[in-house]
Amino acid sequence: MVLRQGIRHFFPSLRSFSSSAVTCDAHISNIGKVPIKIPPGVTLTPSPTALSVQGPLGTTTVHLHPFVQLTFQDPNTVAVTVDDSSEKKQRSMWGTTRTFISNAIVGTSEGFKVPLNLVGVGYRAALEEDPRGKGDGRSGQRLSMKLGYSHVVYIAVPENIKAEVPQPTKIILSCIDKYQVGQFAADIRRWRKPEPYKGKGIFVGDEVIRIKTVKKK
């Protein structure tokens, strides 16, 4: 009790200062508060419910909630805010919306690339024409992969994703949408997930697994 009174004697405003600081920090999104730089060649067109992002590689749209506000501080910078940051949903969507807009800008200006490496004896991949042609979300091309099965695995390439096979054991996917290219890479990886004993499988990017030792009887 004496110690507590002594602290208050030297720092009378300690309690009020600490509580206000915690309250303010709790209502701020560390990601959402960072302004977004707009590179040359990228145009943002906002509407009440969406933001259209147009760049050299294409055009995409980011959905906007009614409580999200965009402020163009200058021609090359946009800031994202919300009406009431003390509300949990608005605070969570603050940073999420900022991330979506940033990814859209990077995707339309630079694009996203995801490499996949086929590791295993006899594992091979090739890019060929899809006999079904274009339509229903297909680009007209498909991946033909030998993954140790008794049959060849065929995967149609979506129309908005570009696939390249520079080497028989390497596939490069590119797209302006980070989520779509990541999801397609995960779909390919699912056919032969990396296993921890021989280190075989389809590895996405710089993926590394820990090799386990086989227990001998």
Side-chain angles (χ1 to χ4, degrees):
M1 187 67 181
V2 175
L3 177 61
R4 185 175 299 178
Q5 291 178 352
I7 294 177
R8 291 179 183 177
H9 175 74
F10 290 103
F11 304 100
S13 61
L14 178 63
R15 174 178 293 182
S16 60
F17 174 78
S18 300
S19 60
S20 62
V22 173
T23 302
C24 294
D25 291 343
H27 295 167
I28 293 178
S29 171
N30 293 327
I31 297 177
K33 69 179 182 181
V34 181
I36 306 173
K37 295 293 184 180
I38 305 175
V42 176
T43 303
L44 305 185
T45 306
S47 69
T49 59
L51 175 68
S52 176
V53 182
Q54 183 176 4
L57 301 182
T59 303
T60 187
T61 302
V62 178
H63 173 73
L64 298 178
H65 290 271
F67 51 77
V68 174
Q69 305 297 331
L70 300 180
T71 303
F72 291 87
Q73 300 175 346
D74 56 64
N76 300 321
T77 306
V78 60
V80 182
T81 57
V82 293
D83 293 338
D84 186 4
S85 60
S86 62
E87 186 177 339
K88 183 177 180 180
K89 181 180 179 181
Q90 295 192 26
R91 188 168 61 253
S92 62
M93 291 307 302
W94 186 3
T96 301
T97 303
R98 195 267 180 198
T99 300
F100 286 162
I101 295 175
S102 178
N103 288 341
I105 292 176
V106 174
T108 55
S109 59
E110 303 174 9
F112 294 99
K113 288 189 176 182
V114 178
L116 295 93
N117 298 299
L118 281 61
V119 180
V121 178
Y123 286 16
R124 293 290 184 272
L127 186 64
E128 59 184 34
E129 295 295 325
D130 193 332
R132 297 174 297 176
K134 294 183 179 181
D136 296 331
R138 300 187 303 270
S139 65
Q141 293 183 317
R142 69 180 184 182
L143 291 170
S144 171
M145 298 186 296
K146 297 180 180 180
L147 301 174
Y149 299 115
S150 59
H151 61 280
V152 179
V153 176
Y154 297 103
I155 302 179
V157 179
E159 59 183 352
N160 54 348
I161 294 179
K162 179 182 178 182
E164 300 175 288
V165 184
Q167 303 173 8
T169 58
K170 187 170 186 177
I171 302 171
I172 298 179
L173 306 177
S174 57
C175 180
I176 65 173
D177 192 306
K178 185 177 183 179
Y179 171 79
Q180 292 183 5
V181 70
Q183 182 61 51
F184 185 53
D187 293 340
I188 297 175
R189 179 184 181 273
R190 195 173 293 118
W191 280 97
R192 186 62 88 176
K193 296 180 181 180
E195 54 88 21
Y197 294 101
K198 295 184 179 180
K200 299 191 301 182
I202 301 176
F203 293 79
V204 178
D206 298 329
E207 182 180 8
V208 177
I209 63 171
R210 180 178 296 179
I211 302 298
K212 297 181 179 179
T213 56
V214 180
K215 296 182 179 179
K216 297 182 180 180
K217 295 182 179 180

